[in-house]
């Protein structure tokens, strides 16, 4: 793909993210956006917002996205890819509908979407597609011609996503005291979701215990652990664990929680743990609080040495991976035969989400899928 620079039929790329508050006055309105329709009282949202208030009411996610935008534009320009890059959020400014309106007014007709979630799940894929469908319908209601949107495939196993995480683990291991380094355990962390949502994640044929969500994370964890073992010569034990659970306590969610895992590893005699947030593209609030604050406090209480490795963020290799994914999808849309780039046992993910993929509790229209109104 490195010799191909033509992104047609696409004429723009949209970075689609979650959004986050950028000051104390933003926190409750932001949480009202996130929880819209659930009837959660404002006083309860103020309690939930304490994580944000600890950091001045500012989530790092928007600055992370600005850095990724800069990295993408720099990479595209350096490699002769003439494709404008826009940014829209689900829950905070710049809002998705406003960005799509700007794109439609500028005359963009075919748009590729990069979501800041690498894995299959309702909240990490279909919900973004539902937001796209809602925003496109809003533009149509305004009398604008909405662009046709396609979503880039899941990139969890692309080398440009995996290799920066391998390097992050190696750096974190090197920062541990020498006497505990070789015996350190690796705790691969991702967002916990309800078991039912995990079991129905991904294409229907992938459904089962944990669905595609768990399978994809396990594949990435194996890739990183194997590379670290090869480069350090030490067989670091590892496990996939979860963080950031929310919701009713009677509903089963994926376990074990990272703090419970640290207690268990300490009791079993692990000399140290490196926490590896493979489920997150950048260091947003759930990484900053749940790992850097809460989990590190638990480790200090236990007297367990821990380090937290870096997320991919705006790493130039990740920006290059997105360029490759854009050109791969463009070539395929133009009828060219393309060999997709993917590591691990699962291979490249689908380009178009199939019918029944990551279903919602209440069916809603979703763009960029085989079951989409304009598919």
């Amino acid at each position: 793909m490195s010799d191909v620079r033509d992104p047609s039929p696409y004429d723009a790329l949209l970075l689609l993210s979650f959004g986050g508050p950028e000051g104390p006055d933003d926190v409750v309105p932001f949480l009202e956006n996130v929880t819209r329709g659930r009837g959660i009282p404002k006083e309860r949202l103020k309690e939930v917002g304490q994580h944000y208030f600890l950091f001045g009411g500012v989530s790092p996610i928007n600055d992370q996205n600005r850095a990724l935008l800069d990295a993408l534009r720099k990479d595209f320009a350096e490699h002769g890819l003439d494709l404008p890059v826009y940014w829209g959020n689900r829950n905070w400014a710049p809002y998705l509908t406003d960005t799509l309106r700007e794109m439609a007014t500028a005359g963009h007709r075919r748009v590729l979407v990069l979501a800041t979630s690498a894995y299959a799940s309702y909240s990490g894929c279909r919900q973004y597609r539902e937001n796209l469908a809602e925003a496109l319908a809003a533009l149509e209601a305004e009398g604008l011609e909405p662009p046709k949107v396609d979503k880039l495939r899941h990139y969890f196993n692309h080398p440009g996503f995996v290799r920066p995480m391998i390097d992050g683990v190696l750096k974190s291991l090197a920062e541990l005291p020498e006497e505990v380094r070789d015996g350190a355990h690796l705790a691969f962390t991702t967002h916990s979701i309800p078991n039912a949502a995990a079991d129905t994640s991904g294409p229907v044929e992938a459904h089962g215990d944990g669905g595609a969500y768990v399978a994809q994370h396990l594949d990435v964890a194996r890739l990183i652990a194997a590379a670290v073992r090869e480069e350090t010569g030490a067989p670091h034990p590892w496990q996939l664990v979860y963080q950031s659970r929310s919701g009713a306590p009677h509903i089963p969610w994926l376990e074990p929680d990272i703090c419970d895992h640290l207690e268990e590893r300490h009791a079993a005699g692990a000399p140290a743990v490196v926490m590896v947030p493979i489920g997150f593209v950048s260091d947003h609030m759930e990484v900053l609080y749940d790992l850097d604050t809460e989990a590190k406090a638990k480790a200090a209480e236990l007297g367990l040495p821990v380090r937290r490795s870096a997320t991919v963020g705006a790493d130039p290799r990740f920006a290059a991976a997105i360029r490759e994914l854009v050109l791969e999808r463009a070539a395929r849309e133009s009828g060219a035969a393309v060999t997709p780039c993917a590591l691990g046992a699962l291979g490249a993910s689908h380009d178009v989400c199939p019918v029944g993929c990551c279903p919602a509790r209440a069916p809603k229209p979703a763009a960029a899928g085989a079951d989409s109104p304009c598919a």
Side-chain angles (χ1 to χ4, degrees), residues 329-341:
R329 181 63 181 274
R332 197 147 40 229
E333 287 292 311
S334 299
V338 180
T339 302
C341 188

Side-chain angles (χ1 to χ4, degrees), residues 3-128:
D3 295 331
V4 181
R5 299 288 182 270
D6 183 7
S8 60
Y10 299 105
D11 54 28
L13 175 69
L14 169 63
L15 174 65
L16 176 56
S17 194
F18 192 80
E22 301 201 76
D25 293 342
D26 297 343
V27 172
V28 171
F30 164 73
L31 292 173
E32 286 174 334
N33 287 342
V34 174
T35 60
R36 187 182 293 113
R38 300 184 205 171
I40 299 176
K42 184 170 286 192
E43 290 308 309
R44 173 61 183 145
L45 294 179
K46 288 180 181 176
E47 293 174 22
V48 173
Q50 289 308 310
H51 295 181
Y52 292 95
F53 292 126
L54 285 174
F55 299 92
V58 179
S59 168
I61 191 170
N62 280 351
D63 277 345
Q64 292 276 337
N65 282 325
R66 291 183 184 103
L68 180 55
L69 278 172
D70 289 343
L72 289 169
R73 288 166 178 158
K74 181 174 185 289
D75 179 90
F76 287 9
E78 288 177 349
H79 291 85
L81 178 58
D82 184 15
L83 192 72
V85 186
Y86 292 78
W87 169 35
N89 289 324
R90 287 168 48 184
N91 299 299
W92 202 247
Y95 289 102
L96 171 59
T97 302
D98 295 336
T99 301
L100 280 172
R101 183 184 298 110
E102 178 187 355
M103 297 175 80
T105 303
H108 295 297
R109 303 269 57 90
R110 288 291 301 272
V111 173
L112 264 177
V113 178
L114 163 64
T116 54
S117 177
Y119 301 85
S121 70
Y122 171 73
S123 57
C125 183
R126 187 177 180 91
Q127 192 169 15
Y128 282 100

